[in-house]
């Protein structure tokens, strides 16, 4: 009788020990998808800037953007852009070309630093994917155009 009681107890201890000995695997963070800003509508190479047709939000002056040629071609064009202070309504914004090559029709995305948030030194904007709502001169919230 003692043997029958000890067998289930032994099995329970083995299962308990096996479950406790498993290592906890760290959860991998999934990469955040790129934030699509719009398309390059016009390029002004003599003045070193582009006009971007927005797909949604209006971005503050100084916001860094990345443009790239559409498709999966081997010699992909990439450019680094920065939003200027000029405003052309809610549907378009001008941006200076900081580096790279850009053509009309290139896709524009919000730049995100790939370094860890602790090492970037920036703590002003906690979530660059969801910028704070923009306001006009009267303090009213500006809503992006509906595409």
């Amino acid at each position: 009788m003692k043997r029958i009681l000890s067998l289930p107890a032994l099995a329970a201890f083995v299962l308990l020990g096996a479950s406790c000995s498993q290592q906890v695997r760290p959860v991998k963070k999934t990469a955040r998808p790129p934030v699509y800003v719009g398309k390059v509508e016009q390029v002004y190479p003599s003045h070193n800037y582009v006009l971007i047709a927005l797909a949604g939000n209006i971005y503050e002056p100084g916001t860094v953007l990345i443009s790239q040629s559409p498709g999966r071609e081997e010699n992909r064009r990439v450019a680094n852009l920065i939003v200027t202070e000029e405003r052309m309504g809610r549907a378009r914004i001008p941006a200076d070309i900081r580096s790279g090559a850009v053509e009309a029709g290139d896709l524009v995305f919000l730049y995100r630093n790939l370094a860890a948030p602790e090492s970037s030194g920036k703590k002003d904007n906690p979530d660059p994917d969801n910028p704070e709502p923009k306001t006009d001169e009267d303090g009213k919230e500006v809503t992006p155009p509906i595409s």
Side-chain angles (χ1 to χ4, degrees):
M1 183 80 169
K2 283 187 178 182
R3 187 173 175 105
I4 295 174
L5 289 177
S6 63
L7 190 57
L10 180 62
F13 282 119
V14 169
L15 289 175
L16 180 64
S19 67
C20 291
S21 67
Q22 292 178 351
Q23 293 181 351
V24 176
R25 294 181 185 178
V27 176
K28 291 183 181 180
K29 288 186 176 181
T30 58
R32 296 181 298 178
V35 177
Y36 179 70
V37 172
K39 279 188 177 182
V40 175
E41 188 172 83
Q42 192 80 25
V43 180
Y44 300 92
S46 60
H47 298 292
N48 207 33
Y49 82 96
V50 298
L51 187 60
I52 300 168
L54 295 172
N57 293 338
I58 298 173
Y59 293 91
E60 291 292 321
T63 302
V64 179
L65 306 172
I66 300 294
S67 72
Q68 69 180 34
S69 55
R72 299 189 180 272
E73 42 198 67
E74 187 174 309
N75 297 324
R76 180 173 286 192
R77 281 184 315 280
V78 177
N80 185 305
L81 311 170
I82 188 164
V83 177
T84 64
E85 292 187 20
E86 291 85 18
R87 288 290 164 244
M88 305 182 94
R90 295 180 182 177
R92 292 172 185 76
I93 56 170
D96 289 333
I97 302 170
R98 291 173 47 175
S99 64
V102 62
E103 290 182 10
D106 286 358
L107 306 175
V108 181
F109 299 92
L110 184 63
Y111 170 78
R112 279 194 274 200
N113 190 351
L114 296 177
E118 300 82 34
S119 64
S120 69
K122 282 189 171 183
K123 295 185 182 182
D124 297 336
N125 189 2
D127 188 4
D129 293 340
N130 297 314
E132 294 196 21
K134 309 298 180 239
T135 56
D136 61 7
E137 298 84 29
D138 301 329
K140 295 179 184 173
E141 186 175 323
V142 176
T143 56
I146 299 174
S147 301

